[in-house]
Amino acid sequence: PGWAAVAGAEMGRPGSFFNASKILAGYIASVWMTVYMATHWATLPGNVQMYLIGGGVAWLCSWAMFWISEAWVWANLMPQFPIKKPSVLNWIILVGLSPLWQLLATLFFFVLPTFHVLCHAAFWGELSYVCAPKGDQQGAAE
């Protein structure tokens, strides 16, 4: 059917409602699984514990490589431009809290606006059109 092609294209498009729903569900499931694993750590089999520790180490290595490369850019590339360097305290706050910043940025700048637009389009009838004055009309009014 024709709707299946449209739905498939919409599901695969970054920034779509389905994509935002998937990301939100992924964050909720990740928080739930993290809490569950932390509270039931002693009851998990040893191989599962090693698998989870390996995943944590892999995430930590990718996080460290990102910030090492960012520090290299600031040390080697950015000095040629006349910009103010961030202080050591700014670096500590930015690097230390970057997982939280990433979560909050995704939530506040992607997931919530997507759902807001969806609710606005679904529940608030017609959108009002504001007729902005054009250059010719503005000159004629004067």
Side-chain angles (χ1 to χ4, degrees):
W3 63 267
V6 173
E10 184 65 14
M11 286 178 155
R13 184 176 61 83
S16 69
F17 169 70
F18 296 110
N19 186 273
S21 300
K22 178 182 73 170
I23 288 174
L24 183 61
Y27 279 136
I28 291 170
S30 295
V31 168
W32 180 79
M33 285 301 291
T34 302
V35 169
Y36 182 82
M37 294 294 177
T39 56
H40 293 82
W41 185 257
T43 62
L44 295 175
N47 57 350
V48 173
Q49 289 179 349
M50 289 303 296
Y51 177 75
L52 293 172
I53 290 170
V57 168
W59 177 84
L60 194 62
C61 287
S62 70
W63 176 80
M65 285 304 299
F66 171 79
W67 285 109
I68 289 169
S69 62
E70 189 71 20
W72 182 88
V73 166
W74 275 92
N76 297 313
L77 236 50
M78 299 306 264
Q80 62 183 322
F81 302 108
I83 56 174
K84 182 180 174 187
K85 291 184 179 181
S87 68
V88 174
L89 181 61
N90 283 348
W91 269 104
I92 291 171
I93 291 172
L94 182 65
V95 172
L97 296 178
S98 64
L100 176 65
W101 300 142
Q102 180 182 8
L103 175 67
L104 291 176
T106 303
L107 181 68
F108 287 119
F109 295 113
F110 175 58
V111 174
L112 288 179
T114 301
F115 285 109
H116 176 261
V117 166
L118 178 73
C119 290
H120 195 69
F123 301 116
W124 277 280
E126 244 182 75
L127 301 176
S128 60
Y129 179 75
V130 177
C131 187
K134 307 290 187 258
D136 296 341
Q137 292 174 350
Q138 203 172 33
E142 293 175 357

